[in-house]
Amino acid sequence: MAEGGLETPEPDLEEPLHLDLRGLKCPLPVLRTRKALRTMQPGSRLMVEATDPLSAIDIPNFCREDGHVLLDAGENGGIRRFLIERGGQAL
């Protein structure tokens, strides 16, 4: 525990890459998510933000079909957030 009673974050936990897709309409959120994941190593994490209502359906389906893991999904104020872990297969 750090001075003042605050815990310090674990040094080996890498922050997810952030992908801001707000304002883009279907199919662009999925296409840009796929492109970003192709550049990442298996096990890496990507945080996607989108405003397209269809992304709530499209992103989870994309993850399932392409072998990625959707770790978390939620919506707040019209912004949908998806935390994705890149799968291990070759794309």
Side-chain angles (χ1 to χ4, degrees):
M1 196 169 286
E3 185 178 320
L6 299 175
E7 291 187 30
T8 55
E10 303 247 348
D12 60 313
L13 293 180
E14 189 175 320
E15 283 290 318
L17 182 67
H18 182 262
L19 187 59
D20 184 353
L21 303 176
R22 293 177 287 180
L24 298 179
K25 299 290 183 194
C26 182
L28 290 176
V30 168
L31 295 176
R32 299 247 175 117
T33 299
R34 177 179 284 135
K35 184 176 180 178
L37 286 166
R38 283 184 177 152
T39 68
M40 299 171 66
Q41 294 296 317
S44 297
R45 294 181 176 186
L46 177 67
M47 174 61 74
V48 176
E49 289 187 343
T51 51
D52 181 11
L54 290 176
S55 66
I57 298 167
D58 294 342
I59 299 282
N61 285 339
F62 157 72
C63 289
R64 186 174 43 257
E65 290 172 2
D66 280 26
H68 304 298
V69 180
L70 182 61
L71 299 172
D72 193 27
E75 187 266 336
N76 187 7
I79 299 174
R80 288 156 181 81
R81 290 180 180 87
F82 307 92
L83 181 59
I84 302 167
E85 184 175 288
R86 188 198 188 282
Q89 83 287 354
L91 295 175

